Amino acid sequence: MAQRDAPMAGVSGGTALDPWRLLDLARAAATQAARLAVERRPADLGVAETKSSPTDVVTEMDTAAESLIRELILGQRPDDAFLGEEGGAESGRSAVRWVIDPIDGTVNYLYDLPHWAVSVGVEVDGITVAGVVAAPRLGELYTAVRGAGAWCNDEKLRVRPTTELGSALIATGFGYRAERRRRQGAIAGALLPRVRDIRRAGSAALDLCAVAAGRVDGYYERGTHHWDRCAGALIATEAGAIVGGFEGAPASEQMALAAPPGTFEALHEALRELGADAVDY
């Protein structure tokens, strides 16, 4: 990892909000939660069990992982705020907010597929300054500090060079609602002849990390939440990607796009032509 710099200029709080220290805490929380999810996952977890019930084993693991993260962070930073997939929003008295997805790629986790991760992003005054995406079954730990770069384990990350859309490998994902999936499938089918190929791995956080690592040329998805994107978006940005929505808007539930400069614009235009910017799904 790169040499640690001084606290970020323009961020209030002095050394208490040193982004490298925040990164250390995020990394410790994410790796411990990832270890918990691996070690406590029942070997006979059935694919019939879903997140539809409060007694569901997968929901219990999501909740346990997020609770561990919150407890670890609160033990060192009791005044901070939180936004988590399972625990919702919790206000704080400091400028820091922790954005948590305890298991991103829950269906993969349910089926014992390795492509899932724990995502922890750290915001200061609304700006993401550090992020961690821990993928224990892949043996990968992605980290980033705003303005300093992004890494996978100890390797500095860099996006692929700008690629013409016809030669671009594009990652995407699909929502849970049937109507949204139908529309997303139609758009992906129409995009497919325009690109090299499409990949659907099942974790938005890891798709963003794949852009950062140069494993895909771009990524787009409708329906992601802030906790899905927070850490991964910083990792992709620090590796040289543009991350955003349509027409200069930030990435949002309506659309999250990530790709190197040039590729981003081509993918953005293709998706608009295919109607992916419609607001009715």
Side-chain angles (χ1 to χ4, degrees):
M1 188 174 287
Q3 182 177 357
R4 301 184 172 216
D5 299 321
M8 290 172 48
V11 173
S12 62
T15 57
L17 298 187
D18 178 351
W20 294 101
R21 293 185 181 181
L22 296 173
L23 178 68
D24 284 342
L25 184 53
R27 180 169 48 224
T31 54
Q32 288 190 36
R35 187 179 308 117
L36 174 79
V38 170
E39 293 177 353
R40 284 183 45 182
R41 183 190 183 279
D44 59 348
L45 182 63
V47 297
E49 299 179 39
T50 70
K51 293 188 71 174
S52 61
S53 167
T55 60
D56 189 315
V57 174
V58 175
T59 298
E60 289 174 358
M61 292 307 301
D62 282 329
T63 302
E66 185 170 320
S67 294
L68 184 153
I69 293 169
R70 288 181 182 237
E71 289 171 9
L72 191 152
I73 292 168
L74 286 170
Q76 297 190 37
R77 301 190 55 87
D79 295 331
D80 292 352
F82 291 87
L83 175 65
E85 180 176 19
E86 303 303 327
E90 181 180 329
S91 61
R93 296 184 296 275
S94 77
V96 176
R97 184 171 76 158
W98 300 81
V99 183
I100 305 162
D101 192 340
I103 300 179
D104 186 61
T106 306
V107 174
N108 286 342
Y109 181 78
L110 172 65
Y111 279 77
D112 201 20
L113 295 169
H115 209 80
W116 58 269
V118 178
S119 176
V120 180
V122 194
E123 298 174 339
V124 176
D125 293 325
I127 298 171
T128 307
V129 301
V132 175
V133 175
R137 293 289 306 280
L138 301 175
E140 295 177 340
L141 181 68
Y142 293 90
T143 56
V145 167
R146 185 177 180 86
W151 299 265
C152 178
N153 299 335
D154 293 325
E155 181 179 352
K156 190 77 175 284
L157 296 177
R158 193 67 191 169
V159 296
R160 293 177 62 83
T162 300
T163 304
E164 291 187 1
L165 195 60
S167 299
L169 182 63
I170 303 299
T172 193
F174 303 108
Y176 289 104
R177 289 193 295 108
E179 178 56 27
R180 174 170 284 178
R181 292 171 64 84
R182 184 195 66 77
R183 183 69 179 274
Q184 288 174 319
I187 291 169
L191 180 65
L192 187 56
R194 302 191 183 195
V195 299
R196 181 189 296 275
D197 209 343
I198 290 177
R199 294 289 182 267
R200 194 276 201 264
S203 165
L206 287 176
D207 284 340
L208 287 163
C209 291
V211 173
R215 294 175 179 170
V216 296
D217 295 290
Y219 159 74
Y220 77 96
E221 186 170 355
R222 185 175 187 130
T224 62
H225 299 285
H226 188 49
W227 50 75
D228 299 314
R229 302 183 305 266
C230 183
L234 179 66
I235 292 164
T237 300
E238 287 300 317
I242 299 174
V243 179
F246 286 122
E247 300 294 339
S252 67
E253 185 174 353
Q254 183 181 11
M255 181 56 65
L257 285 162
T263 308
F264 180 96
E265 290 80 4
L267 179 59
H268 175 282
E269 186 58 28
L271 289 169
R272 286 194 63 232
E273 291 175 2
L274 296 172
D277 58 344
V279 297
D280 59 348
Y281 77 101

